[in-house]
Amino acid sequence: MDEILLVSSLLAAGIRLAVPIAFASIGETISQRAGVINVGIEGIMLVGAFVAVWLTVISGNAWIGLFAAVVAGMVMAAIHAYFAVILKVEQIVAGIALLFFGLGISGYGFRLTIGAWGTAVPVPGFEQLNVLGMANVPVVGPILFGQHALVYVMVGLTVLIAWMLRATRLGLIIKGAGDYPNAIDAVGINVDRTRIICTVASGAFAAVGGAFLSTAHLWGFVEGMTAGRGFLAIACVVFGRWNPVLGVIIALIFGIADAAQIRLQSYFPGIPYQFFVIVPYLVAILSIAIGSRRARTPAALGVPFRKAV
Amino acid sequence: MTGASSNVRAAGAIVSLVALVVAAIAITDADPLSVMTEVVQRALFTRAGFLEALLRAIPLTIMGLGVALAFRAKVFNIGMDGQLIAGSVLAVLVAPFLPLGPIGLFLLILVGMIGGGIWGRIAGELKSRCGGNEIIATIMLNYVAIQILSWLVRGPLQEAAKIIPRTDLIDAAFRLPVLLPGTRLHAGLIIALLSVAIIAAFMSKTRFGFKLSVVGSSSSVAQYAGIRPGSVASLALLLSGAMAGLAGIVEVSGLYGRLQEGFAPGFGIAAIAVALVARLNPLLIPFSAFGFSLLYAGLGSLARKGTVPFPIINIIEAAIILIFLASSVMSTRAKEVNGHG
């Protein structure tokens, strides 16, 4: 029984740790499907994390913080869209710049606001829910009914977007923009506009991931607190073969690996904690080694669209 | 889209980015103009500021060369911070077994390059064998390297006094000599300038240098020419990592004499900006590196006074990269117009 409870709490915590990565990976899936690679989502997540805490503390309401984070994430992604889609520059380099932007703006903003107030600020963040009053049911309760509201939103969005990509006209347009932009253009659809919208959407998702990290999970902001989760999200997209559901499942694996290493640290105090901290990163490196071969990249990913003359 | 309208858009982006940086400074109640003049004054016209910038330009030049090597082949190495750590760690580990004297110092530097090269090569092998994205791999390896360093300086390699998480000083024989007595300016400056000459010759004169550019311009052309992009990418990451390792051991041997956490913060990031602004041209990299170092030295001293928080440096770096991208759009358009007109 003890083991089962252990596994139950591990899974519940693993889901919580997976959520930021999962949100970012859904967004990155959408933009990459439309042909735009954004390696700067780590920067967007950081800005989302900072803005969410800042506005939550000011307004006293975590939902307002979340909304502000989404707006900030969309603005960040719009910068990427402007450079990648309109100016048609090297997308990877623009994404790297976005990463530095996010690092800088979140750190700068933090030191000017919360960090400058001089005292530790309590963040009235998101509480875990007790859905149908069943969060305390042994084993399955904490996993299924005791999560944050955003966890349920994430699951719903994953299904919705998987369906949208697979079965709707909109999905067809998005996939077309990433695979056969010329064909999409020939039937009168604006490829660039599609790509811009998808890129901006990816910013919103990444910012929600960052906001979850700072207002639901850690209840505060630390510079660089995303610790590579944005890049893990990109790994999820590749390993999940551009399928949002698979991507979220991979994110879950990273989350559980993270939850496991935190627990293992206390079980093996004799082993240096750093050995455990690197586990999720090693899992990611391993997943890159295993998962990249079978990948089928969108044909026009990273290639700016230029109308044939 | 016509050349003219894209010029307008690129110019618009540049103006907005400059405005954003100015606004970011203004928000702190500081006067942006006086901040910028103070930065330039401190860095250029005070002896301490100038020397600090020169010191900072050493690793930035070496790493900028490494970035340029890889980016030429469109291999995006953003894990130089990890490769820098891997190189310096391996060198410090091996140091006690090396002979004292110039040969030992030479071997120490070589080991630093090997360590960084190995760390880069891991990502390179993942890319060439498995098709794994090098951006993700190099970033993940950064975190692994940071944790290993953290363990070493708190555990097996910690100084004998066991107070601060850092190693004991390496033997004086392994220190790079100081060039200007009374300052910290060390022989790493010569190593950096030598690297510029070697990498410039390597890129323009050797077959591999040529292969890098071919792979970078088009991987299908490369394949047609019988070049395997995978193996070129792997080698590019090895060399790029070796440069990061060189920068690391030069910092350790020339400046600190020991390993400690965070001894080269954000250098990998800055090196990318350095290389891009130099347009991946090795001969321009020392100038670009010195320019960024002036910025660092000047802003650093302002940040210590509390005028402007230091992360502004990342905002400025990002703005500079984006401005560089936008201006390159304008220059290619200009070429197209000239070509057709």
Side-chain angles (χ1 to χ4, degrees):
Chain A
M1 192 61 200
D2 275 359
E3 284 81 5
I4 296 175
L5 283 178
L6 219 62
V7 170
S8 156
S9 88
L10 178 73
L11 285 177
I15 292 171
R16 274 195 294 286
L17 284 161
V19 169
I21 306 170
F23 267 111
S25 92
I26 301 170
E28 183 77 13
T29 302
I30 297 171
S31 84
Q32 290 205 7
R33 268 297 174 92
V36 178
I37 183 161
N38 183 358
V39 298
I41 48 174
E42 173 99 0
I44 300 181
M45 288 178 82
L46 277 170
V47 169
F50 159 66
V51 169
V53 166
W54 182 34
L55 265 289
T56 298
V57 168
I58 288 178
S59 70
N61 184 329
W63 290 101
I64 293 176
L66 178 71
F67 178 76
V70 167
V71 173
M74 287 166 81
V75 171
M76 289 281 289
I79 297 174
H80 187 64
Y82 192 84
F83 278 84
V85 182
I86 295 177
L87 294 181
K88 305 193 189 304
V89 302
E90 177 67 63
Q91 295 183 2
I92 306 250
V93 178
I96 293 172
L98 205 65
L99 165 66
F100 304 164
F101 235 138
L103 270 172
I105 290 177
S106 60
Y108 195 68
F110 176 71
R111 291 194 197 183
L112 285 180
T113 55
I114 308 164
W117 296 342
T119 48
V121 183
V123 180
F126 287 106
E127 304 279 349
Q128 277 157 256
L129 299 184
N130 188 351
V131 178
L132 307 171
M134 285 163 66
N136 298 323
V137 173
V139 186
V140 294
I143 302 176
L144 295 180
F145 304 105
Q147 298 285 358
H148 294 275
L150 281 174
V151 174
Y152 305 103
V153 172
M154 188 268 289
V155 173
L157 277 173
T158 308
V159 175
L160 190 73
I161 281 161
W163 170 77
M164 183 271 286
L165 281 173
R166 180 181 288 263
T168 66
R169 183 182 136 82
L170 179 63
L172 211 59
I173 293 172
I174 291 174
K175 288 186 288 186
D179 267 324
Y180 318 102
N182 285 310
I184 291 291
D185 179 64
V187 296
I189 287 159
N190 189 328
V191 173
D192 280 357
R193 189 183 301 155
T194 310
R195 288 183 167 184
I196 290 169
I197 292 169
C198 289
T199 307
V200 171
S202 81
F205 278 96
V208 174
F212 182 90
L213 200 60
S214 66
T215 52
H217 187 63
L218 296 171
W219 292 36
F221 181 82
V222 182
E223 282 176 49
M225 70 188 292
T226 46
R229 287 180 174 89
F231 292 94
L232 284 172
I234 302 177
C236 290
V237 175
V238 178
F239 199 17
R241 287 180 273 171
W242 288 267
N243 175 333
V245 177
L246 275 180
V248 167
I249 291 172
I250 311 290
L252 202 60
I253 295 175
F254 288 144
I256 291 170
D258 206 3
Q261 66 89 3
I262 295 167
R263 281 161 175 70
L264 287 173
Q265 280 183 34
S266 53
Y267 283 115
F268 300 99
I271 301 176
Y273 70 91
Q274 292 94 346
F275 285 26
F276 297 107
V277 176
I278 64 174
V279 167
Y281 302 116
L282 291 179
V283 172
I285 292 170
L286 213 65
S287 81
I288 296 166
I290 304 166
S292 301
R293 266 266 176 264
R294 302 167 300 156
R296 207 200 70 76
T297 319
L301 181 61
V303 183
F305 175 68
R306 288 195 171 85
K307 253 185 204 293
V309 223
Chain B
M1 186 164 64
T2 63
S5 79
S6 107
N7 266 350
V8 171
R9 284 172 173 157
I14 293 172
V15 171
S16 324
L17 285 162
V18 172
L20 190 136
V21 171
V22 170
I25 296 172
I27 231 171
T28 65
D29 291 333
D31 171 18
L33 202 66
S34 72
V35 165
M36 285 329 272
T37 47
E38 211 177 330
V39 165
V40 173
Q41 264 176 357
R42 273 167 189 277
L44 272 182
F45 302 120
T46 67
R47 187 180 145 88
F50 187 78
L51 280 172
E52 199 186 321
L54 211 52
L55 267 181
R56 175 63 77 101
I58 294 170
L60 284 190
T61 300
I62 300 173
M63 290 173 91
L65 292 168
V67 171
L69 259 178
F71 276 40
R72 276 268 174 118
K74 292 249 165 75
V75 173
F76 298 103
N77 179 11
I78 50 178
M80 288 198 117
D81 287 316
Q83 293 145 17
L84 176 146
I85 291 173
S88 0
V89 162
L90 191 66
V92 169
L93 279 172
V94 169
F97 307 102
L98 295 175
L100 302 176
I103 297 172
L105 179 58
F106 174 77
L107 289 176
L108 183 82
I109 290 170
L110 197 67
V111 171
M113 294 183 73
I114 292 172
I118 292 172
W119 216 243
R121 184 70 189 235
I122 298 174
E125 287 299 299
L126 282 172
K127 188 175 174 71
S128 74
R129 282 173 200 269
C130 317
N133 181 314
E134 78 279 10
I135 298 174
I136 306 170
T138 51
I139 278 275
M140 293 302 134
L141 287 165
N142 271 355
Y143 291 105
V144 174
I146 289 168
Q147 294 303 326
I148 291 177
L149 175 63
S150 154
W151 162 61
L152 285 174
V153 296
R154 288 188 166 77
L157 282 189
Q158 193 176 10
E159 59 174 359
K162 300 274 177 206
I163 299 167
I164 301 170
R166 62 180 188 189
T167 65
D168 281 319
L169 286 169
I170 54 174
D171 194 285
F174 295 131
R175 301 294 304 271
L176 285 166
V178 168
L179 289 181
L180 266 181
T183 70
R184 297 191 299 160
L185 189 66
H186 55 80
L189 187 66
I190 297 167
I191 295 179
L193 294 176
L194 271 177
S195 308
V196 171
I198 293 169
I199 298 290
F202 175 79
M203 291 227 259
S204 61
K205 300 272 190 278
T206 64
R207 278 173 58 90
F208 186 73
F210 176 67
K211 280 185 186 176
L212 283 179
S213 315
V214 175
V215 171
S217 57
S218 160
S219 72
S220 57
V221 170
Q223 251 153 354
Y224 190 72
I227 302 169
R228 287 190 301 127
S231 68
V232 170
S234 181
L235 211 53
L237 278 163
L238 170 94
L239 293 173
S240 185
M243 295 308 286
L246 176 61
I249 190 58
V250 163
E251 284 292 280
V252 167
S253 162
L255 215 50
Y256 303 107
R258 55 161 54 107
L259 277 178
Q260 59 208 47
E261 275 182 296
F263 67 95
F267 284 16
I269 288 177
I272 293 172
V274 164
L276 287 171
V277 169
R279 297 185 181 265
L280 309 185
N281 180 346
L283 295 174
L284 295 180
I285 280 173
F287 301 100
S288 169
F290 187 64
F292 274 97
S293 305
L294 290 175
L295 204 61
Y296 265 98
L299 279 174
S301 73
L302 281 192
R304 279 189 293 277
K305 282 202 313 177
T307 318
V308 174
F310 196 65
I312 187 83
I313 192 80
N314 291 133
I315 301 178
I316 293 177
E317 277 167 350
I320 289 175
I321 296 176
L322 292 175
I323 287 171
F324 156 81
L325 286 173
S327 65
S328 69
V329 169
M330 291 166 85
S331 66
T332 52
R333 291 289 159 187
K335 269 182 217 152
E336 278 169 23
V337 171
N338 288 335
H340 294 296

